[in-house]
Amino acid sequence: MKMVFKHRGTLFLIFPIMKKILTLVTLLATFCIACKNKEKSSATIVARDISITPANAYNNLFTDSNSLNTFIANEQLDEDMANRMRSFYNLRNFEFAWFGSEGLTEQARSFWSMFSYQKDTSLGNKILKKQMKAWLLADDSLNLENTDKNVTSTELLLTETFVGYMMKYYGESAAKKRDMESFIPRKKVEAIALADSFANRASNASYEESEESYKLLKQQLGGYVKIAKAGGWPIISASKKAYKKGITAPEIVSIKKRLAITGHLATADTTAIFDDALENAVKAFETSIGYTADGIINEKLVKQLNIPVMQKIQQMVINLDRMRWLPDNEKGKVIIANIPEFKVHVLDGSKKEFEMNVVVGKEGHNTVVFNGNLNEVVFAPYWNLPTSIVKKEILPKMESNSNYLNEQNMEIVSEGEGVPEIRQKPGGNNSLGKVKFLFPNDFDIYFHDTPAKDLFNKDARAYSHGCIRLEDPAKMANYLLQGTEWTAEKINEAMNAATEKRVALKNPVPVIITYYTAWVDENGVLNFRDDIYGNDGAVAKKLFTNPML
């Protein structure tokens, strides 16, 4: 499964990286109606939307005008910025934009990742950066309140940064108000009404022309809205554990109708025979959801076929929103890792170089969505075990087996404070394999090799502690170091050495880690993947009056 990306008029394989996040521009301009002449007048303050209440709000935390005005005074904001922020919160009825009681919203994480990737030191400040790092690394079991000064402080500082970012990079926008208001969700809506509005909206045409992937998914959404309004698709009641080519069964008729509705089966067929055309349709469906295409309908596949069309629509709407938060990557090499797809895509400008299967973090050790720059290759690496793994996994094993560290080729580097610092030496059983690829970040996530090669044969590959394991790390190393003294022979030697060797890249390569569960590939095929971390479900509960994810 590949991604489609439009770059300077050319389609190539990549996740949709925004061309200057054009839609984001529009959104701010709606929230903060700009004057035509900044020197003569400031932004007009828009009316407060009192229809937003705690019962229907997207986020369940609210601030008030006193808190905002105190912030404006303390920060000594100019009139234009102050009025833009007042408009921003008036349109939300002072509902928080970036926090719910559970912590940072998906939009907060996405904007901060985009902003951090820009590396603009003129925006934000050290206080906000420190606060955001703490929130990003916070425990998942938060129960925040709007009386928490740290929450309010981060909320308002992040909004100031958001407004400043838009003003600096996108200037004044003539986009319509309704487009901007949709960028950061404000309240729960009926899914079909939102999807119908989304699919038929034409006012962001300039953005869609530059972002082919967004345009294609929006078109597919329109098709699924029509399917929903026509009654959806039939529910398949399976009487057998498996169906394959050659058999005849009454439920084959329903299966054919189901696959014809979504275009996997090209022609209408009411016969009960599992023929060649149906086998090909089943394989196409399997490929579109990330399964190995064997053409056999089993219980697991029937379950996938029976997912309601409204659930698919909600999934598509959520992913369309995600597409608008990615940073611009004008040219050069880029590495895209899509967590639910279990794949990495490597591109150079408009040219797709290669892709490979990956293993990502298992639930509870989620791989984080963020952007970084790969700047170092480490051959025959040590594995410096995270404190959490030492505490939860290694120490209990050491207690039950006094020779455990020797057996695992591990050593204690220092005793530390309560929990020893332990690392695994280079070698065949090293958990990082023979090479790792570093892109500095606060989450201690990187690419690496693995001795557990059998995991790449599975359709679902969420088994790591958070880092991303590469199916062919030697290929990645050779690609990143091409044109240098590091030949294939030298790389192979370094990977199999007994001592660690670190190699800095002269030109760091952008790494973008995404969480797409719905997209359209370069062949025009709509792809879906399982919501392995429950991210879609979390957003759906906040966004829709009738969540199904």
Side-chain angles (χ1 to χ4, degrees), residues 5 27 36 52 80 84 91 93 226 318 345 367 390 408 420 447 459 506:
F5 180 63
L27 297 172
K36 295 182 179 180
I52 298 174
D80 190 60
R84 288 173 185 272
L91 282 168
N93 202 16
K226 291 179 181 178
I318 289 169
H345 305 259
T367 300
V390 173
Q408 300 300 316
F447 298 144
D459 288 336
K506 183 178 180 180

Side-chain angles (χ1 to χ4, degrees), residues 64-83:
D64 54 45
S65 58
N66 289 334
S67 296
L68 178 58
N69 287 331
T70 298
F71 174 83
I72 289 171
N74 290 341
E75 293 292 310
Q76 298 181 340
L77 302 183
D78 62 41
E79 186 179 5
D80 190 60
M81 171 63 80
N83 286 348

